[in-house]
């Protein structure tokens, strides 16, 4: 297992992503971060906290609850009811691999009158089997299908590993 990003690098990438989100959403009524359960929700919280520190934007959060191993057969739920009318929604996950998880994560939002929907990921592996491209990417990494990316937000220091 080799380290791809250390704590300081991840913090810088999150700060840069937050500034990009702010720049693109100056005219948004509000920004809603929707983090996919697990590391996506954790990254979503970090981005929301950083954006709140640098901007006057109204920021809301929800968690997308789904089973990544069975996204096609399981129901996708939100952790809380949220009014999305005219707001920017940012779907957040730690790693974009094939795009399948993010496609299914969009389901609860398809009938909403959003201003815009964007995608933020910490690591983009570029193995697109679905037509998903992130609007905000912390790190672009070409890997083989046999390699795996592990994002670790569990301790005081965050890491991204390739194994």
């Amino acid at each position: 297992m080799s380290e791809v990003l250390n704590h300081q690098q991840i913090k810088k990438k999150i700060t840069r992503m937050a500034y990009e989100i702010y720049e693109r959403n100056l005219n948004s009524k509000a920004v809603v971060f929707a983090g996919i359960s697990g590391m996506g929700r954790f990254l979503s919280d970090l981005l929301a906290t950083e954006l709140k520190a640098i901007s006057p934007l109204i920021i809301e959060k929800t968690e997308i609850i789904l089973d990544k191993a069975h996204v096609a057969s399981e129901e996708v739920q939100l952790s809380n009811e949220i009014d999305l009318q005219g707001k920017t929604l940012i779907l957040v996950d730690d790693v974009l691999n094939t795009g399948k998880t993010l496609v299914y994560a969009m389901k609860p939002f398809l009938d909403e009158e959003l201003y815009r929907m964007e995608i933020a990921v910490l690591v983009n592996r570029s193995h697109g089997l679905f037509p998903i491209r992130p609007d905000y990417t912390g790190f672009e990494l070409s890997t083989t299908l046999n390699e795996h990316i592990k994002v670790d937000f569990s301790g005081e220091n965050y890491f991204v590993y390739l194994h």
Side-chain angles (χ1 to χ4, degrees):
M1 189 160 33
S2 59
E3 184 180 298
V4 176
L5 295 172
N6 64 34
H7 186 74
Q8 284 304 110
Q9 291 167 319
I10 291 170
K11 283 178 56 177
K12 286 178 183 174
K13 292 189 181 309
I14 289 169
T15 299
R16 181 183 46 77
M17 290 169 69
Y19 274 102
E20 288 177 21
I21 291 167
Y22 181 32
E23 288 171 5
R24 285 196 207 165
N25 291 286
L26 288 170
N27 299 322
S28 293
K29 181 175 166 182
V31 174
V32 178
F33 285 93
I36 295 176
S37 44
M39 294 298 115
R41 187 208 46 83
F42 198 92
L43 176 60
S44 175
D45 289 347
L46 293 172
L47 285 168
T49 299
E50 189 68 26
L51 185 59
K52 190 172 230 149
I54 63 171
S55 83
L57 293 172
I58 297 168
I59 298 165
E60 300 173 67
K61 298 187 293 187
T62 189
E63 180 179 0
I64 302 167
I65 302 164
L66 54 75
D67 181 353
K68 288 185 177 187
H70 303 97
V71 290
S73 61
E74 299 291 323
E75 187 178 343
V76 179
Q77 300 177 335
L78 298 179
S79 62
N80 54 306
E81 292 278 327
I82 194 157
D83 175 23
L84 298 166
Q85 179 82 27
K87 298 175 183 175
T88 296
L89 175 75
I90 301 178
L91 291 175
V92 182
D93 204 4
D94 58 340
V95 178
L96 172 56
N97 188 17
T98 65
K100 184 176 183 178
T101 300
L102 282 162
V103 165
Y104 281 94
M106 290 179 186
K107 284 171 78 173
F109 308 108
L110 296 178
D111 293 330
E112 299 290 336
E113 293 288 329
L114 298 169
Y115 173 68
R116 171 186 347 199
M117 184 186 298
E118 298 178 324
I119 295 173
V121 297
L122 182 60
V123 179
N124 182 7
R125 292 184 60 191
S126 305
H127 289 298
L129 299 178
F130 290 78
I132 298 292
R133 301 288 173 263
D135 299 280
Y136 310 102
T137 302
F139 192 68
E140 195 88 30
L141 182 66
S142 294
T143 61
T144 67
L145 290 173
N146 295 332
E147 294 175 309
H148 299 282
I149 297 290
K150 180 179 182 342
V151 176
D152 183 2
F153 289 130
S154 62
E156 287 185 28
N157 290 312
Y158 311 142
F159 294 97
V160 174
Y161 298 104
L162 173 67
H163 60 94

